[in-house]
Amino acid sequence: MSFGFFESTDTDRIPEVILCKLGEVVLKGANRQSFESSLIKELRRRASPYGVFKIYFKQSTVYVEPQNDECDMEGMYSVAKKVFGIVGVTRAAVCEKNMESIVAMAKRYLPDKLRGKSTFKVDAKRSDKKFPLTSPEISRDIGGVVLSLVRGIRVDVKNPEVTVTVEVRDDNAYIRAGQEHGAGGLPLRSSGRGLLLLSGGIDSPVAGCMMAKRGMEIEALHFESFPYTSERAREKVLTLAQQMCEFCAKIHVHVISLTHIQEELRDRCEEDYFTLLLRVFMMRLSERCAREYKCGALITGESLGQVASQTLAAIGVTDSVVNIPVFRPCIGLDKEEIVRQARYYGTFDTAILPYEDCCTVFTPRHPKTQPRVEEVMAQLEKIDFDGLLEEAWGTMYTVTKVVYDGYK
Ligand code: ATP
Ligand code: MG
């Protein structure tokens, strides 16, 4: 069996392709080509564990064509749903573009896809205007096929449960039933690089994925405070980074120890300011890390008013100590909304494991919720701020996580 792209020795196997519909990429005017090429490159990188696929862009759709029987279509399909820049993913059967083949393929392909559904409509499109039937004629014929083969199903043109699409394109005809949502957003690596402050909580992995969705390549920084935080707490963070790679593909996780800083704060500063002072150190170290690894912004999982260090005044203080954009994509989300996102990105179950974070070590009993920058700075006078920063910077090491071994 051959359709120009697919040679199969298995005559029972229906030749299928995966079609990916692009989202905002199509609005990109002059930059469109570079967005498209970022997307195609990413899909090609992500496809390699699933076999040999030909991936190309044509008539505002990305085609993912298996090149032999060994290709894992299920695997490739679920990956396509996690590639940012794609809004819709569907599998389509391919046949020659004549009505006899289209009807024969519809008979083989559609009953399985539509069984148990209550309503459908057929949407036919012809980019080959020389095709002898008009779009309404194609729709009518294929609608008739479905009605005769799927028991109990009805036509509903206004609000169908499934839309069957028949597309007669330049090369072949494509038949598909329904379309699933893709991950949306912009292709990875199309919006520069951001440094995510990654804790072991629910919020920061979501924040990282949200910015990756806007095309940012994610680099992560985790602060630990061994022995006050445990080996298991660090492993949990690395697991979260690994899970994020399903969407973010590759993440370098830098780890810095705050142990000495926290001990100094505990011994020399007023307790009510601990968390804020710690955040000042975190922000300054993060800014340095961002510059070192060419990240144009910091990303945090803060949500306004969620905890004492996330009041407007506290955020004002943390923002004032760095000179780099700080993205807080969760700022306007409720916890419930963040949890929903965490489940979608696959990080929730790990995030709720109950290990300590450096922010929960030596927590003040009455944290300042309305701090003033000058008060916080006055506390920093009591310690060797620059020396401690330098020492902490020296503790940094890096672990790299990738979506699969061999991902570049
Ligand atoms: P999360 O659920 O992401 O842990 P949180 O609600 O617990 O957030 P905080 O502990 O105040 O809030 O932390 C706010 C943000 O600061 C986090 O979302 C994260 O971006 C950053 N952060 C906190 N702890 C760490 C850490 N140990 N290492 C790196 N970043 C951290
Ligand atoms: Mg936290």
Side-chain angles (χ1 to χ4, degrees):
M1 197 168 15
S2 163
F3 287 99
F5 69 92
F6 186 81
E7 298 287 342
S8 178
T9 48
D10 178 354
T11 47
D12 287 337
R13 183 173 168 143
I14 294 179
E16 269 189 306
V17 297
I18 296 168
L19 303 178
C20 305
K21 193 166 164 255
L22 304 194
E24 277 175 61
V25 178
V26 296
L27 306 174
K28 286 294 166 199
N31 292 329
R32 179 171 166 162
Q33 266 203 325
S34 82
F35 280 88
E36 281 168 10
S37 95
S38 300
L39 180 66
I40 298 271
K41 268 192 209 144
E42 186 57 26
L43 263 172
R44 287 193 181 132
R45 287 190 200 103
R46 298 293 298 269
S48 55
Y50 301 96
V52 184
F53 290 86
K54 185 171 167 198
I55 300 176
Y56 61 93
F57 183 79
K58 198 160 127 193
Q59 295 175 318
S60 28
T61 303
V62 178
Y63 285 69
V64 181
E65 295 178 347
Q67 299 297 291
N68 55 48
D69 286 340
E70 271 78 62
C71 289
D72 172 0
M73 288 291 276
E74 283 296 327
M76 186 63 225
Y77 182 77
S78 56
V79 159
K81 286 204 291 185
K82 293 178 179 170
V83 171
F84 291 124
I86 294 171
V87 290
V89 189
T90 180
R91 285 169 75 149
V94 191
C95 63
E96 285 170 30
K97 50 174 207 172
N98 60 64
M99 214 43 209
E100 200 188 345
S101 303
I102 294 172
V103 168
M105 183 54 84
K107 285 182 176 168
R108 282 178 73 197
Y109 190 64
L110 291 176
D112 259 6
K113 307 272 174 199
L114 296 176
R115 194 162 297 124
K117 309 285 183 203
S118 55
T119 54
F120 80 106
K121 76 167 181 181
V122 182
D123 208 0
K125 299 176 187 166
R126 305 177 313 161
S127 57
D128 174 6
K129 298 295 175 202
K130 289 202 265 346
F131 193 73
L133 271 69
T134 63
S135 299
E137 287 167 343
I138 302 171
S139 297
R140 187 200 55 211
D141 286 7
I142 300 305
V145 168
V146 171
L147 288 170
S148 70
L149 292 178
V150 182
R151 198 180 307 152
I153 202 162
R154 287 182 298 110
V155 175
D156 180 346
V157 287
K158 285 220 177 78
N159 193 19
E161 193 180 344
V162 185
T163 300
V164 170
T165 309
V166 179
E167 277 189 79
V168 181
R169 295 209 162 201
D170 299 344
D171 47 1
N172 295 306
Y174 297 83
I175 302 176
R176 57 193 158 93
Q179 171 170 287
E180 283 195 282
H181 288 296
L186 297 172
L188 273 184
R189 308 182 199 213
S190 65
S191 302
R193 191 179 296 149
L195 180 69
L196 170 67
L197 280 70
L198 180 61
S199 70
I202 298 171
D203 308 334
S204 47
V206 168
C209 290
M210 288 176 79
M211 294 321 300
K213 181 175 178 175
R214 296 310 300 163
M216 287 198 114
E217 188 179 355
I218 301 298
E219 195 96 11
L221 173 58
H222 175 64
F223 296 104
E224 62 181 6
S225 195
F226 196 75
Y228 305 107
T229 60
S230 64
E231 184 71 27
R232 282 192 314 180
R234 191 199 20 187
E235 282 309 313
K236 173 186 171 182
V237 170
L238 295 177
T239 304
L240 284 171
Q242 181 69 62
Q243 290 166 337
M244 289 174 67
C245 286
E246 287 287 321
F247 287 87
C248 305
K250 179 178 183 177
I251 302 180
H252 299 290
V253 187
H254 310 287
V255 183
I256 290 181
S257 170
L258 295 182
T259 308
H260 192 203
I261 289 174
Q262 289 197 274
E263 288 169 343
E264 285 289 289
L265 293 176
R266 177 195 59 191
D267 295 342
R268 296 179 198 280
C269 301
E270 224 176 284
E271 178 186 315
D272 295 359
Y273 289 95
F274 277 2
T275 313
L276 269 169
L277 294 169
L278 188 64
R279 294 201 72 77
V280 170
F281 276 102
M282 287 164 95
M283 294 302 277
R284 289 293 280 270
L285 287 162
S286 302
E287 183 180 26
R288 183 163 176 186
C289 186
R291 306 238 180 266
E292 179 87 9
Y293 293 97
K294 311 224 169 345
C295 301
L298 303 181
I299 304 165
T300 80
E302 287 159 307
S303 163
L304 191 63
Q306 197 189 71
V307 289
S309 60
Q310 294 172 28
T311 61
L312 183 55
I315 287 177
V317 171
T318 24
D319 249 12
S320 73
V321 299
V322 288
N323 195 10
I324 182 171
V326 183
F327 293 163
R328 299 179 171 91
C330 298
I331 198 76
L333 299 183
D334 293 346
K335 197 73 192 186
E336 214 174 294
E337 294 168 311
I338 301 174
V339 164
R340 205 177 313 135
Q341 298 269 327
R343 288 190 198 279
Y344 172 71
Y345 288 118
T347 54
F348 181 74
D349 291 341
T350 304
I352 56 173
L353 295 173
Y355 306 136
E356 65 296 331
D357 179 57
C358 66
C359 288
T360 59
V361 178
F362 313 138
T363 39
R365 281 159 292 183
H366 307 290
K368 283 268 175 217
T369 54
Q370 299 301 323
R372 296 213 331 263
V373 178
E374 313 80 70
E375 292 166 3
V376 176
M377 293 307 149
Q379 291 292 319
L380 288 174
E381 300 285 312
K382 302 179 181 181
I383 50 176
D384 177 11
F385 183 67
D386 292 334
L388 284 166
L389 272 182
E390 204 55 41
E391 184 195 326
W393 181 253
T395 67
M396 186 164 79
Y397 62 92
T398 302
V399 181
T400 300
K401 295 289 178 188
V402 281
V403 63
Y404 63 84
D405 285 345
Y407 181 93
K408 297 252 182 338

